[in-house]
Amino acid sequence: MRTLWRFLTLLIFRLLLTSSWSTPNTAVSGAPISASDYNTYVRDDLNYLFSQRPRSSIFREGVANYTTSSTSFTAVDSTNLRLTMTVASGRIRVEATFTVRHSDTSSGSGSDLGGTISFDFLLNGTTRCGSTNGVHRIQQGNNGTQQRTVSIVGEFTTGVVNGSNTIDLVWLTSGATATMFNSGYPITMRGNEF
Amino acid sequence: MHEVEISFEEGHGLQDYHSDVDAIARDALGDDCYGISVNPDSVRIHLSDDIAGDDPAVEAAIQAIEQFYLELQGG
């Protein structure tokens, strides 16, 4: 009995704290707006818009770095660097910040020296946010071992499921070795419905 | 592109030997290898769609990388 009471208390508390979006009904002339409709379409939806829209974040500082020589976009870490978000609007904005370096500091010509790294976000394992070179691309340049801190932002307005979605941080390199630092360097990802 | 993953214990240290592991994979797979990724607990080989994940060449690449790791441990 005590366990049941605790369960019901937790359930009620959770229902009070969270609600989902309800597509507003259309008012009809002369028809009263019921308390139930008001609570569902005005109170609960306003609460949802003010403080309950889905958001998700990852702050990962691991024990080792990530490296890749992949020339096609690949997830950095589909276990630890994957956002999972259940949304109602069909739109997700996502951000990531990290520190990288490319091993190639000499290829190319003129002032365009060194290897490049491209970054993007991958929605549900199929849809990338950016173009051929992702949402952002850097070139190492002939600056030796200098690291670069990168912040990227992407928005998905198509392909988002009105349910659970996954977003991976993905990257590719022009060749040689790209390193994303994580031993002593946090990698952050944040996503929110908009 | 698809990939096969080789699991290692966290702290394997193969990030420091990325170019060596990459060369081992490319020796075994040729142009069907699009590169590798080294994560804290795994190595992933990125493959072209022209080769299956269970192709003998892929198995050879996996074994060669595992052998390289064992030699590092022993060395």
Side-chain angles (χ1 to χ4, degrees):
Chain A
M1 188 64 186
R2 193 172 178 180
T3 305
L4 178 62
W5 177 246
R6 184 177 295 171
F7 171 76
L8 288 172
T9 306
L10 283 172
L11 181 65
I12 292 166
F13 183 67
R14 182 160 176 76
L15 287 173
L16 286 173
L17 275 181
T18 62
S19 65
S20 59
W21 173 257
S22 301
T23 303
N25 62 348
T26 301
V28 177
S29 291
I33 296 173
S34 69
S36 172
D37 283 352
Y38 178 88
N39 290 338
T40 300
Y41 301 121
V42 179
R43 182 197 63 186
D44 291 349
D45 278 352
L46 283 175
N47 282 335
Y48 178 85
L49 292 173
F50 179 68
S51 61
Q52 296 169 355
R53 299 195 81 169
R55 65 184 188 281
S56 182
S57 61
I58 294 171
F59 300 91
R60 176 174 169 76
E61 186 171 336
V63 297
N65 301 327
Y66 296 91
T67 57
T68 192
S69 50
S70 178
T71 50
S72 295
F73 277 106
T74 185
V76 177
D77 183 343
S78 57
T79 301
N80 299 300
L81 294 173
R82 167 177 283 185
L83 294 172
T84 300
M85 296 186 64
T86 299
V87 300
S89 71
R91 297 190 300 266
I92 295 174
R93 180 179 295 118
V94 62
E95 307 167 23
T97 302
F98 42 83
T99 303
V100 294
R101 182 173 66 207
H102 199 286
S103 65
D104 175 4
T105 60
S106 60
S107 68
S109 61
S111 57
D112 293 330
L113 292 175
T116 64
I117 316 172
S118 300
F119 310 97
D120 207 340
F121 298 103
L122 183 68
L123 174 70
N124 295 327
T126 57
T127 307
R128 278 196 301 105
C129 184
S131 59
T132 302
N133 290 297
V135 295
H136 191 63
R137 185 186 193 194
I138 63 139
Q139 184 168 36
Q140 181 66 26
N142 59 343
N143 56 5
T145 58
Q146 184 175 316
Q147 300 166 327
R148 292 170 183 274
T149 298
V150 177
S151 290
I152 57 173
V153 179
E155 288 187 350
F156 289 102
T157 56
T158 57
V160 178
V161 177
N162 283 339
S164 181
N165 296 270
T166 61
I167 301 112
D168 289 307
L169 176 63
V170 297
W171 60 339
L172 68 77
T173 171
S174 56
T177 307
T179 298
M180 185 174 292
F181 292 89
N182 197 218
S183 177
Y185 292 81
I187 299 172
T188 65
M189 292 180 71
R190 293 170 296 276
N192 62 280
E193 179 189 75
F194 73 101
Chain B
M1 188 181 80
H2 61 121
E3 65 185 36
V4 293
E5 182 172 299
I6 314 167
S7 295
F8 290 96
E9 288 199 7
E10 204 163 82
H12 54 71
L14 287 170
Q15 292 89 342
D16 295 337
Y17 300 91
H18 186 108
S19 57
D20 299 296
V21 179
D22 182 85
I24 291 169
R26 290 180 195 273
D27 280 349
L29 294 161
D31 292 340
D32 286 324
C33 178
Y34 286 174
I36 64 161
S37 292
V38 183
N39 283 26
D41 59 356
S42 66
V43 170
R44 293 177 291 143
I45 307 172
H46 306 295
L47 301 166
S48 80
D49 290 332
D50 295 333
I51 190 167
D54 59 357
D55 190 282
V58 176
E59 186 56 36
I62 293 171
Q63 287 184 7
I65 291 169
E66 288 176 336
Q67 182 62 32
F68 177 77
Y69 177 65
L70 288 175
E71 288 170 7
L72 277 181
Q73 297 294 97

